[in-house]
């Protein structure tokens, strides 16, 4: 088999067979296919799509590219959650500890920034010493003993996704339904999750811009989960404006900590509660939504979710002093707040533009393997629907290069729209696919 024939076939919108997909994944994982040929195939898939059989075959090939963990002897039930990617989405940092504090072990394999969306690993690595490169043995050991793990793909779990993910990030091949579905579900299957909550985002700051596409992505992932024997629930959530206020690695860690300690922005808190409730119900820790909500609120108010976050950080080598005193986390050299020059209502806070800006500021990557700047990003002080007055803070930029200050301010202004008349706030959720 020759990779160039597969590229041509997909370029011509033909259907790839299971053997062809297995060949591609196996050879690319072994380093026998170049990045430029893999990128050409990914682009053809992005442009011409895959049917549900091809998507399932791709997912299983990627899951089988390395070991598949069996967690049944380690924990009674392992629940995982995964987001399809958004701007300001630090949900995992909060719901992982919440679920674990409620007695539901969380063994999570996360990703890095992808395109304009942030990545959990990059956020956690804002904490000095925090290790995301656990071996499988370390992953299992920590899950068994600490009930919470938040790591990257080890070389032996879904290595094909590890390689393709980094390639997609820098080749414009992220927003593709089959590529997202296979990337997420292969990781979840390989890491041994028995129950999975998917946070499928939709809007201008998500890879699926409308409800129809997001529902289709949710349905295919739920179907793949079922085929693989992993009960999966997908929640459709809004990503037209950043989630919460903070966008940027260390800034998001700070917001997650505030939320774990009982504060946090209203929309982000509501979002975390909802995802947490789904995790508890799916994991059998709560029988009803009310019971799950009580548990979620309980572990925040009694401090045990925050304690669980500290357990996670310490277990993975992170400096606990930095999360106890967040002033010690990386901080940008130039921090400037822009204030409103008019009264009115906030009509738009374009998440995509803010995500792209934060990548350009250094929070994301231009090339594979680029380092990220953990300190930079933006904080939005207003959300769609807010009534505002001249002089109110609109946003704060955190940059490390002086020449980016004006550019960042201008691009942030470009992300906003204002109105003189009342604007409806955006919904948090659009539905659930089971
Ligand atoms: N998250 C992933 O793990 N993969 C994607 O392709 C998108 C979001």
């Amino acid at each position: 088999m020759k990779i160039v024939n597969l590229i041509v076939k997909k370029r011509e919108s033909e259907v790839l067979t299971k053997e062809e997909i297995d060949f591609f994944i196996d050879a690319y994982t072994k380093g026998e296919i170049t990045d430029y040929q893999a990128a050409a195939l990914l682009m053809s898939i992005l442009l011409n799509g895959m049917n549900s059989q091809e998507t399932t075959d791709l997912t299983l090939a990627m899951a089988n590219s390395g070991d598949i963990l069996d967690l049944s002897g380690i924990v009674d039930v392992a629940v995982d959650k995964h987001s399809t990617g958004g701007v300001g989405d630090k949900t995992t940092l909060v719901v992982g500890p919440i679920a674990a504090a409620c007695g539901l072990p969380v063994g999570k394999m996360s990703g890095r920034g992808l395109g304009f969306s942030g990545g959990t690993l990059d956020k956690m690595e804002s904490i000095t010493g925090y290790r995301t490169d656990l071996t499988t043995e370390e992953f299992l050991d920590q899950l068994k003993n600490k009930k919470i793990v938040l790591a990257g793909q080890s070389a032996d779990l879904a290595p094909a996704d590890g390689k393709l993910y980094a390639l997609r990030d820098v080749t414009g091949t992220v927003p593709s339904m089959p590529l997202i579905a296979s990337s997420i579900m292969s990781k979840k299957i390989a890491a041994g999750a028995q129950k999975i909550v998917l946070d499928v985002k939709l809007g201008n700051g998500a890879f699926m811009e409308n409800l129809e596409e997001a529902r289709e992505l949710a349905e295919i992932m739920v179907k793949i989960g079922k085929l693989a024997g992993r009960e999966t629930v997908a929640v459709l959530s809004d990503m037209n404006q950043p989630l919460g206020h903070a966008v940027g690695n260390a800034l998001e860690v700070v917001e997650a900590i505030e939320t774990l300690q009982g504060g946090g922005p209203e929309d982000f808190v509501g979002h975390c509660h909802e995802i947490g409730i789904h995790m508890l119900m799916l994991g059998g820790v709560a029988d009803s939504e009310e019971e799950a909500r009580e548990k979620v609120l309980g572990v925040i108010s009694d401090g045990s979710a925050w304690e669980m976050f500290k357990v996670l950080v310490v277990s993975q080598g992170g400096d606990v002093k930095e999360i106890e005193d967040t002033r010690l986390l990386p901080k940008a050299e130039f921090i400037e707040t822009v204030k409103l020059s008019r009264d009115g209502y906030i009509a738009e806070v374009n998440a995509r533009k803010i995500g792209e800006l934060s990548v350009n500021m250094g929070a994301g990557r231009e090339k594979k393997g680029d380092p990220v700047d953990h300190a930079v990003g933006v904080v939005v002080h207003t959300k769609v629907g807010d009534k505002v007055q001249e002089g109110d803070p609109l946003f704060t930029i955190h940059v490390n290069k002086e020449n980016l200050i004006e550019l960042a301010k201008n691009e942030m202004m470009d992300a906003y729209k204002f109105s003189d008349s009342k604007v409806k706030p955006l919904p948090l959720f659009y539905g659930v696919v089971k």
Side-chain angles (χ1 to χ4, degrees), residues 217-407:
L217 174 62
E219 280 168 359
I220 179 115
M221 291 196 287
V222 168
K223 194 169 145 204
I224 293 171
K226 195 168 175 195
L227 276 172
R230 320 294 169 106
E231 195 182 344
T232 305
V233 170
V235 181
L236 303 167
S237 69
D238 185 75
M239 190 29 78
N240 283 296
Q241 62 183 341
L243 186 58
H245 292 164
V247 180
N249 298 302
L251 294 169
E252 293 189 45
V253 171
V254 175
E255 191 164 275
I257 291 172
E258 285 164 4
T259 306
L260 283 163
Q261 293 176 337
E266 199 184 323
D267 65 324
F268 179 55
V269 170
H271 182 84
C272 290
H273 289 178
E274 202 62 28
I275 299 291
I277 287 167
H278 280 286
M279 289 174 79
L280 297 193
M281 294 204 341
L282 197 61
V285 164
D287 292 330
S288 66
E289 204 179 312
E290 297 74 64
E291 191 190 344
R293 190 175 298 279
E294 249 173 55
K295 289 198 162 157
V296 168
L297 296 177
V299 295
I300 292 178
S301 60
D302 71 9
S304 50
W306 162 233
E307 283 306 318
M308 192 52 88
F309 185 71
K310 288 204 260 183
V311 167
L312 169 70
V313 169
V314 171
S315 304
Q316 290 183 220
D319 183 350
V320 76
K321 289 197 294 303
E322 290 184 3
I323 57 168
E324 282 173 340
D325 178 0
T326 54
R327 288 170 306 180
L328 300 174
L329 284 167
K331 199 165 182 178
E333 198 174 334
F334 307 99
I335 301 174
E336 287 195 21
T337 297
V338 170
K339 295 190 173 162
L340 273 145
S341 56
R342 54 167 289 168
D343 296 349
Y345 293 86
I346 303 290
E348 184 173 306
V349 191
N350 189 295
R352 166 79 58 116
K353 289 185 181 169
I354 295 175
E356 282 168 354
L357 169 64
S358 85
V359 171
N360 293 338
M361 285 165 132
R365 298 176 179 78
E366 279 175 28
K367 293 192 305 299
K368 259 171 78 172
D370 275 355
V372 299
D373 185 338
H374 293 105
V376 300
V378 300
V379 176
V380 296
H381 301 296
T382 49
K383 308 290 292 194
V384 171
D386 284 358
K387 186 172 189 308
V388 289
Q389 279 185 332
E390 187 182 341
D392 285 350
L394 185 59
F395 57 82
T396 302
I397 54 156
H398 295 242
V399 292
N400 266 332
K401 289 189 189 135
E402 202 166 0
N403 62 345
L404 286 182
I405 297 176
E406 283 314 306
L407 181 121

Side-chain angles (χ1 to χ4, degrees), residues 80 82 107-111 139 151-154 157-158 187-188 190-191:
D80 199 349
H82 205 91
K108 170 138 177 62
M109 233 162 80
S110 287
F139 185 96
Q153 263 151 294
S154 63
L157 295 181
K187 274 197 283 278
K188 303 296 101 181

Side-chain angles (χ1 to χ4, degrees), residues 63-276:
N64 287 319
S65 65
D67 296 343
I68 297 203
L69 293 187
D70 176 5
L71 300 180
S72 53
I74 308 279
V75 288
D76 290 342
V77 56
V79 176
D80 199 349
K81 69 81 62 176
H82 205 91
S83 150
T84 56
V87 178
D89 183 7
K90 69 289 289 176
T91 309
T92 295
L93 277 58
V94 175
V95 297
I98 286 179
C102 289
L104 195 62
V106 176
K108 170 138 177 62
M109 233 162 80
S110 287
R112 299 194 175 277
L114 192 60
F116 57 81
S117 81
T120 299
L121 301 182
D122 294 332
K123 295 172 208 212
M124 291 304 287
E125 284 175 354
S126 305
I127 305 164
T128 305
Y130 186 88
R131 278 185 60 215
T132 56
D133 60 342
L134 302 189
T135 62
T136 302
E137 210 184 337
E138 287 171 321
F139 185 96
L140 294 177
D141 207 51
Q142 191 174 316
L143 181 60
K144 186 168 182 182
N145 295 313
K146 308 289 178 189
K147 310 292 178 228
I148 186 160
V149 198
L150 183 45
Q153 263 151 294
S154 63
D156 39 10
L157 295 181
D161 178 58
K163 288 187 78 175
L164 289 173
Y165 191 96
L167 188 61
R168 286 169 58 219
D169 182 31
V170 291
T171 54
T173 50
V174 175
S176 148
M177 210 168 305
L179 296 180
I180 295 174
S182 56
S183 163
I184 293 178
M185 293 309 288
S186 64
K187 274 197 283 278
K188 303 296 101 181
I189 294 170
Q194 291 147 346
K195 316 259 181 176
I196 304 162
V197 176
L198 298 172
D199 182 5
V200 178
K201 307 232 166 262
L202 65 107
N204 62 47
F207 300 122
M208 298 296 120
E209 296 211 21
N210 60 52
L211 183 55
E212 209 184 358
E213 286 174 345
R215 195 177 287 282
E216 207 182 315
L217 174 62
E219 280 168 359
I220 179 115
M221 291 196 287
V222 168
K223 194 169 145 204
I224 293 171
K226 195 168 175 195
L227 276 172
R230 320 294 169 106
E231 195 182 344
T232 305
V233 170
V235 181
L236 303 167
S237 69
D238 185 75
M239 190 29 78
N240 283 296
Q241 62 183 341
L243 186 58
H245 292 164
V247 180
N249 298 302
L251 294 169
E252 293 189 45
V253 171
V254 175
E255 191 164 275
I257 291 172
E258 285 164 4
T259 306
L260 283 163
Q261 293 176 337
E266 199 184 323
D267 65 324
F268 179 55
V269 170
H271 182 84
C272 290
H273 289 178
E274 202 62 28
I275 299 291

